[in-house]
PDB file of all heavy atoms in Angstrom:
ATOM      1  N   PRO A  17     -27.442 -29.768 -48.919  1.00 53.00           N
ATOM      2  CA  PRO A  17     -26.037 -30.163 -48.717  1.00 53.00           C
ATOM      3  C   PRO A  17     -25.166 -28.950 -48.450  1.00 53.00           C
ATOM      4  O   PRO A  17     -25.375 -27.882 -49.028  1.00 53.00           O
ATOM      5  CB  PRO A  17     -25.671 -30.822 -50.049  1.00 53.00           C
ATOM      6  CG  PRO A  17     -26.595 -30.197 -51.041  1.00 53.00           C
ATOM      7  CD  PRO A  17     -27.874 -29.926 -50.309  1.00 53.00           C
ATOM      8  N   ARG A  18     -24.238 -29.134 -47.563  1.00 53.00           N
ATOM      9  CA  ARG A  18     -23.303 -28.047 -47.270  1.00 53.00           C
ATOM     10  C   ARG A  18     -22.331 -27.876 -48.440  1.00 53.00           C
ATOM     11  O   ARG A  18     -21.894 -28.858 -49.027  1.00 53.00           O
ATOM     12  CB  ARG A  18     -22.515 -28.351 -45.995  1.00 53.00           C
ATOM     13  CG  ARG A  18     -23.374 -28.357 -44.753  1.00 53.00           C
ATOM     14  CD  ARG A  18     -22.516 -28.591 -43.536  1.00 53.00           C
ATOM     15  NE  ARG A  18     -23.316 -28.583 -42.325  1.00 53.00           N
ATOM     16  CZ  ARG A  18     -22.805 -28.789 -41.110  1.00 53.00           C
ATOM     17  NH1 ARG A  18     -21.507 -29.023 -40.970  1.00 53.00           N
ATOM     18  NH2 ARG A  18     -23.593 -28.768 -40.047  1.00 53.00           N
ATOM     19  N   PRO A  19     -22.017 -26.623 -48.728  1.00 51.00           N
ATOM     20  CA  PRO A  19     -21.067 -26.424 -49.841  1.00 51.00           C
ATOM     21  C   PRO A  19     -19.686 -26.983 -49.479  1.00 51.00           C
ATOM     22  O   PRO A  19     -19.177 -26.774 -48.379  1.00 51.00           O
ATOM     23  CB  PRO A  19     -21.012 -24.889 -49.996  1.00 51.00           C
ATOM     24  CG  PRO A  19     -21.462 -24.366 -48.677  1.00 51.00           C
ATOM     25  CD  PRO A  19     -22.452 -25.356 -48.136  1.00 51.00           C
ATOM     26  N   ARG A  20     -19.129 -27.723 -50.406  1.00 53.00           N
ATOM     27  CA  ARG A  20     -17.806 -28.321 -50.177  1.00 53.00           C
ATOM     28  C   ARG A  20     -16.723 -27.269 -50.402  1.00 53.00           C
ATOM     29  O   ARG A  20     -16.736 -26.517 -51.374  1.00 53.00           O
ATOM     30  CB  ARG A  20     -17.586 -29.492 -51.135  1.00 53.00           C
ATOM     31  CG  ARG A  20     -18.572 -30.634 -50.913  1.00 53.00           C
ATOM     32  CD  ARG A  20     -18.317 -31.744 -51.917  1.00 53.00           C
ATOM     33  NE  ARG A  20     -16.978 -32.272 -51.749  1.00 53.00           N
ATOM     34  CZ  ARG A  20     -16.430 -33.198 -52.552  1.00 53.00           C
ATOM     35  NH1 ARG A  20     -17.132 -33.662 -53.580  1.00 53.00           N
ATOM     36  NH2 ARG A  20     -15.216 -33.638 -52.339  1.00 53.00           N
ATOM     37  N   ILE A  21     -15.811 -27.229 -49.445  1.00 49.00           N
ATOM     38  CA  ILE A  21     -14.693 -26.275 -49.537  1.00 49.00           C
ATOM     39  C   ILE A  21     -13.535 -26.968 -50.244  1.00 49.00           C
ATOM     40  O   ILE A  21     -12.951 -27.933 -49.726  1.00 49.00           O
ATOM     41  CB  ILE A  21     -14.250 -25.788 -48.142  1.00 49.00           C
ATOM     42  CG1 ILE A  21     -15.425 -25.112 -47.443  1.00 49.00           C
ATOM     43  CG2 ILE A  21     -13.069 -24.842 -48.256  1.00 49.00           C
ATOM     44  CD1 ILE A  21     -15.120 -24.689 -46.026  1.00 49.00           C
ATOM     45  N   ARG A  22     -13.267 -26.513 -51.412  1.00 50.00           N
ATOM     46  CA  ARG A  22     -12.180 -27.122 -52.165  1.00 50.00           C
ATOM     47  C   ARG A  22     -10.840 -26.531 -51.748  1.00 50.00           C
ATOM     48  O   ARG A  22     -10.734 -25.320 -51.518  1.00 50.00           O
ATOM     49  CB  ARG A  22     -12.385 -26.888 -53.662  1.00 50.00           C
ATOM     50  CG  ARG A  22     -13.639 -27.568 -54.208  1.00 50.00           C
ATOM     51  CD  ARG A  22     -13.764 -27.306 -55.687  1.00 50.00           C
ATOM     52  NE  ARG A  22     -14.945 -27.961 -56.220  1.00 50.00           N
ATOM     53  CZ  ARG A  22     -15.293 -27.885 -57.499  1.00 50.00           C
ATOM     54  NH1 ARG A  22     -14.559 -27.182 -58.353  1.00 50.00           N
ATOM     55  NH2 ARG A  22     -16.386 -28.527 -57.914  1.00 50.00           N
ATOM     56  N   PRO A  23      -9.838 -27.360 -51.634  1.00 49.00           N
ATOM     57  CA  PRO A  23      -8.525 -26.813 -51.280  1.00 49.00           C
ATOM     58  C   PRO A  23      -7.993 -25.907 -52.373  1.00 49.00           C
ATOM     59  O   PRO A  23      -8.239 -26.141 -53.564  1.00 49.00           O
ATOM     60  CB  PRO A  23      -7.648 -28.072 -51.130  1.00 49.00           C
ATOM     61  CG  PRO A  23      -8.341 -29.105 -51.954  1.00 49.00           C
ATOM     62  CD  PRO A  23      -9.802 -28.820 -51.831  1.00 49.00           C
ATOM     63  N   ARG A  24      -7.291 -24.872 -51.963  1.00 46.00           N
ATOM     64  CA  ARG A  24      -6.732 -23.944 -52.935  1.00 46.00           C
ATOM     65  C   ARG A  24      -5.630 -24.641 -53.721  1.00 46.00           C
ATOM     66  O   ARG A  24      -4.778 -25.328 -53.162  1.00 46.00           O
ATOM     67  CB  ARG A  24      -6.147 -22.716 -52.222  1.00 46.00           C
ATOM     68  CG  ARG A  24      -7.180 -21.897 -51.501  1.00 46.00           C
ATOM     69  CD  ARG A  24      -6.535 -20.714 -50.841  1.00 46.00           C
ATOM     70  NE  ARG A  24      -5.911 -19.846 -51.827  1.00 46.00           N
ATOM     71  CZ  ARG A  24      -5.198 -18.758 -51.501  1.00 46.00           C
ATOM     72  NH1 ARG A  24      -5.030 -18.451 -50.242  1.00 46.00           N
ATOM     73  NH2 ARG A  24      -4.676 -18.003 -52.431  1.00 46.00           N
ATOM     74  N   PRO A  25      -5.641 -24.486 -54.996  1.00 44.00           N
ATOM     75  CA  PRO A  25      -4.592 -25.141 -55.785  1.00 44.00           C
ATOM     76  C   PRO A  25      -3.231 -24.534 -55.488  1.00 44.00           C
ATOM     77  O   PRO A  25      -3.105 -23.335 -55.225  1.00 44.00           O
ATOM     78  CB  PRO A  25      -5.022 -24.868 -57.236  1.00 44.00           C
ATOM     79  CG  PRO A  25      -5.849 -23.627 -57.150  1.00 44.00           C
ATOM     80  CD  PRO A  25      -6.562 -23.698 -55.820  1.00 44.00           C
ATOM     81  N   ARG A  26      -2.218 -25.365 -55.509  1.00 49.00           N
ATOM     82  CA  ARG A  26      -0.857 -24.894 -55.296  1.00 49.00           C
ATOM     83  C   ARG A  26      -0.417 -24.080 -56.509  1.00 49.00           C
ATOM     84  O   ARG A  26      -0.570 -24.493 -57.650  1.00 49.00           O
ATOM     85  CB  ARG A  26       0.101 -26.059 -55.086  1.00 49.00           C
ATOM     86  CG  ARG A  26      -0.163 -26.834 -53.803  1.00 49.00           C
ATOM     87  CD  ARG A  26       0.819 -27.976 -53.672  1.00 49.00           C
ATOM     88  NE  ARG A  26       2.175 -27.459 -53.582  1.00 49.00           N
ATOM     89  CZ  ARG A  26       3.255 -28.249 -53.542  1.00 49.00           C
ATOM     90  NH1 ARG A  26       3.128 -29.555 -53.612  1.00 49.00           N
ATOM     91  NH2 ARG A  26       4.447 -27.727 -53.468  1.00 49.00           N
ATOM     92  N   ILE A  27       0.116 -22.912 -56.219  1.00 45.00           N
ATOM     93  CA  ILE A  27       0.565 -22.035 -57.296  1.00 45.00           C
ATOM     94  C   ILE A  27       1.997 -22.401 -57.642  1.00 45.00           C
ATOM     95  O   ILE A  27       2.899 -22.277 -56.808  1.00 45.00           O
ATOM     96  CB  ILE A  27       0.458 -20.552 -56.880  1.00 45.00           C
ATOM     97  CG1 ILE A  27      -0.986 -20.221 -56.543  1.00 45.00           C
ATOM     98  CG2 ILE A  27       0.991 -19.646 -57.971  1.00 45.00           C
ATOM     99  CD1 ILE A  27      -1.179 -18.822 -56.028  1.00 45.00           C
ATOM    100  N   ARG A  28       2.192 -22.853 -58.827  1.00 53.00           N
ATOM    101  CA  ARG A  28       3.518 -23.221 -59.278  1.00 53.00           C
ATOM    102  C   ARG A  28       3.953 -22.266 -60.384  1.00 53.00           C
ATOM    103  O   ARG A  28       3.140 -21.855 -61.207  1.00 53.00           O
ATOM    104  CB  ARG A  28       3.531 -24.661 -59.806  1.00 53.00           C
ATOM    105  CG  ARG A  28       3.191 -25.696 -58.738  1.00 53.00           C
ATOM    106  CD  ARG A  28       3.240 -27.084 -59.325  1.00 53.00           C
ATOM    107  NE  ARG A  28       2.936 -28.091 -58.325  1.00 53.00           N
ATOM    108  CZ  ARG A  28       2.885 -29.398 -58.584  1.00 53.00           C
ATOM    109  NH1 ARG A  28       3.116 -29.834 -59.807  1.00 53.00           N
ATOM    110  NH2 ARG A  28       2.616 -30.251 -57.616  1.00 53.00           N
ATOM    111  N   PRO A  29       5.224 -21.944 -60.394  1.00 52.00           N
ATOM    112  CA  PRO A  29       5.679 -21.072 -61.464  1.00 52.00           C
ATOM    113  C   PRO A  29       5.550 -21.775 -62.801  1.00 52.00           C
ATOM    114  O   PRO A  29       5.699 -22.992 -62.889  1.00 52.00           O
ATOM    115  CB  PRO A  29       7.156 -20.813 -61.105  1.00 52.00           C
ATOM    116  CG  PRO A  29       7.538 -21.925 -60.204  1.00 52.00           C
ATOM    117  CD  PRO A  29       6.296 -22.310 -59.474  1.00 52.00           C
TER     118      PRO A  29
END
Side-chain angles (χ1 to χ4, degrees):
R18 293 183 179 179
R20 297 179 61 185
I21 301 176
R22 296 181 179 180
R24 296 180 62 184
R26 294 180 62 184
I27 300 176
R28 297 181 179 179

